[in-house]
Amino acid sequence: MSTSPPPYVGSPAGGTHGCLEYFPEHSGTPERIAVTTSPFSIGRAEGNGYRILAPGVSKQHALLVRQGSSLLLRDLASTNGTFLNGTRIAEQIVVDGDIIHVGPIELCFRSPQAALGPASGDVLATQALASGVPASVIRGAQRLRELIDDSAVEMVYQPIVDLHSQRPVGYEALARGTHPSLSRSPAALFALAEQCGMCVELSRLFRRLAIIQAGRSLDATRLFLNIHPRELTDPGFLPSLESLQRYGPPRRGLVLEIAEASVVDVTQMGHIRDAFTRLGFEFAYDDFGAGQARFLELTDIPPHFLKLDMTLVRGIEDARPRQDVVKALLRVVNRLGVQVVAEGIETEACATLCRALGCSLGQGYLFGRPARLWPGSEAPDWPGGSSGRVVG
């Protein structure tokens, strides 16, 4: 399948809205496609003003629309997005010299005046530079789309234990990418997804795979699943949660973790909590204390679990001021019936102190590193847990 656009033969005539320049292999004479109508459609299907037969291009991918004296580039909810100067856009005004990416095809917009002259050497250099960076967001978006479409992710599970018995009460599911051209780190994947507008899709994939890959190994315990902040205002958020139960045993408890920093509206959080309750889910405030602690949301909309950020917990046995802060917090939280999880516990001394301060649950390397399950295992072989086999 050809990825080369059809050439525009000759110079654009007067009365056009400009043209799109395409540089084959970023060298030689550019091919020009005149933008002669408004709207001017770009996509893979027949009938587009500019048809591109290339992988990664949607049937109806983007539009160029006259808006006053300007030209507006609008994405048509394309699968892989439309990029302007390296940034994924919904719609934005284009100016002379702007670089547009539609799938693997790179185009330069030229105004009607500039289109009458020869191709600019500066534009050619800019265009080559924009596409020549191996880690560019454009190439990254294509790889991330492959990761999502192929479910190129493995899930690992870290125990959350009762600090008195040290037996697991739940497991947090954490993702590791397996695409050969992308990082394994979920933080790196989400940083790329943020640039590409794919955070919501990636987060939903991680949750679905967490349940599927756990199988029935963790039936008797809770499974803690992370929510990306952008999902809280996404219209498809609750429908996506409704579908989760179909992927796993109905008796497993699911706990949805919401980062403290993303909880900014008490009313909204109240609606979310009510929806979780209807669906039979519990929820947790995650990373509490990492930034500005949101006590109003905590007291007005108390969660089932509160996870203290590891920056509060690590080394707390040698930090008396932090001990006083956590002890005061736990006096309030425990009265609300909230179970507190101390994250980042790595030593027996830290575990003992967290238990003495009032934390009922703990998570950290002392109890087990994130690990994947062997197929058919009953549960991971964590300290104090049921027997089973794991691979780190």
Side-chain angles (χ1 to χ4, degrees):
M1 181 178 291
S2 173
T3 61
S4 176
Y8 174 81
V9 181
S11 299
T16 70
H17 304 295
C19 73
L20 301 172
E21 290 184 344
Y22 172 74
F23 290 83
E25 302 302 324
H26 316 298
S27 63
T29 303
E31 300 168 349
R32 287 179 167 178
I33 302 92
V35 180
T36 56
T37 60
S38 176
F40 183 86
S41 60
I42 302 171
R44 196 176 72 248
E46 290 186 18
N48 282 291
Y50 175 24
R51 189 183 184 194
I52 303 177
L53 296 176
V57 178
S58 297
K59 292 181 180 179
Q60 302 293 333
H61 199 108
L63 278 180
L64 285 165
V65 182
R66 196 73 185 175
Q67 193 172 82
S69 60
S70 302
L71 203 61
L72 181 76
L73 175 66
R74 177 180 297 153
D75 180 67
L76 297 178
S78 62
T79 300
N80 294 306
T82 301
F83 291 80
L84 185 65
N85 299 322
T87 300
R88 186 168 182 166
I89 55 100
E91 59 177 35
Q92 192 167 322
I93 296 294
V94 293
V95 298
D96 185 57
D98 275 348
I99 305 301
I100 301 169
H101 282 85
V102 176
I105 299 301
E106 186 175 82
L107 305 162
C108 178
F109 173 72
R110 304 309 309 274
S111 68
Q113 296 77 19
L116 294 174
S120 164
D122 291 339
V123 171
L124 175 58
T126 301
Q127 196 168 0
L129 179 64
S131 65
V133 181
S136 72
V137 66
I138 311 304
R139 304 298 180 256
Q142 295 170 4
R143 301 295 180 264
L144 191 59
R145 168 54 53 196
E146 294 169 0
L147 179 145
I148 292 173
D149 289 347
D150 298 339
S151 296
V153 175
E154 91 175 346
M155 303 304 300
V156 292
Y157 303 85
Q158 186 172 32
I160 297 171
V161 306
D162 183 299
L163 284 177
H164 294 277
S165 67
Q166 294 198 5
R167 295 190 64 83
V169 299
Y171 297 85
E172 180 178 357
L174 302 165
R176 302 289 185 266
T178 60
H179 190 287
S181 300
L182 294 174
S183 171
R184 284 179 56 81
S185 163
L189 293 175
F190 271 116
L192 175 60
E194 185 76 34
Q195 293 178 294
C196 301
M198 299 166 72
C199 291
V200 169
E201 203 173 353
L202 186 64
S203 184
R204 289 177 185 172
L205 173 68
F206 287 173
R207 282 198 300 276
R208 185 172 70 252
L209 293 181
I211 297 173
I212 293 172
Q213 292 185 20
R216 294 187 174 274
S217 299
L218 308 177
D219 279 4
T221 54
R222 292 178 173 90
L223 189 58
F224 287 69
L225 306 172
N226 288 284
I227 302 292
H228 190 275
R230 290 197 179 276
E231 295 186 85
L232 298 180
T233 55
D234 184 83
F237 176 48
L238 294 180
S240 76
L241 297 181
E242 291 174 358
S243 68
L244 288 180
Q245 292 289 9
R246 79 175 68 144
Y247 298 112
R251 64 182 178 277
R252 173 185 295 143
L254 297 180
V255 183
L256 304 176
E257 296 191 18
I258 299 175
E260 173 213 339
S262 65
V263 181
V264 296
D265 186 313
V266 174
T267 301
Q268 178 202 37
M269 195 59 228
H271 294 323
I272 291 173
R273 178 194 59 183
D274 293 343
F276 286 175
T277 300
R278 289 195 302 272
L279 294 171
F281 300 142
E282 297 176 301
F283 79 99
Y285 288 150
D286 191 20
D287 300 330
F288 197 85
Q292 180 180 355
R294 302 185 184 280
F295 292 105
L296 181 61
E297 290 80 0
L298 174 61
T299 54
D300 284 9
I301 314 293
H304 299 89
F305 299 89
L306 181 72
K307 301 187 78 173
L308 298 181
D309 188 73
M310 61 181 62
T311 58
L312 271 179
V313 174
R314 283 178 177 164
I316 194 173
E317 60 271 31
D318 299 317
R320 185 57 185 267
R322 264 193 282 155
Q323 295 176 28
D324 293 339
V325 169
V326 171
K327 188 173 183 178
L329 171 65
L330 265 57
R331 278 200 299 267
V332 175
V333 169
N334 287 335
R335 283 200 296 268
L336 295 172
V338 177
Q339 295 190 70
V340 177
V341 184
E343 294 188 291
I345 295 179
E346 298 179 352
T347 66
E348 289 286 358
C350 182
T352 299
L353 179 60
C354 288
R355 184 172 61 245
L357 290 174
C359 297
S360 55
L361 307 174
Q363 181 178 355
Y365 287 174
L366 177 65
F367 310 113
R369 293 175 179 267
R372 58 187 172 90
L373 307 176
W374 281 101
S377 66
E378 291 304 314
D381 189 16
W382 308 113
S386 303
S387 178
R389 299 177 67 192
V390 298
V391 176

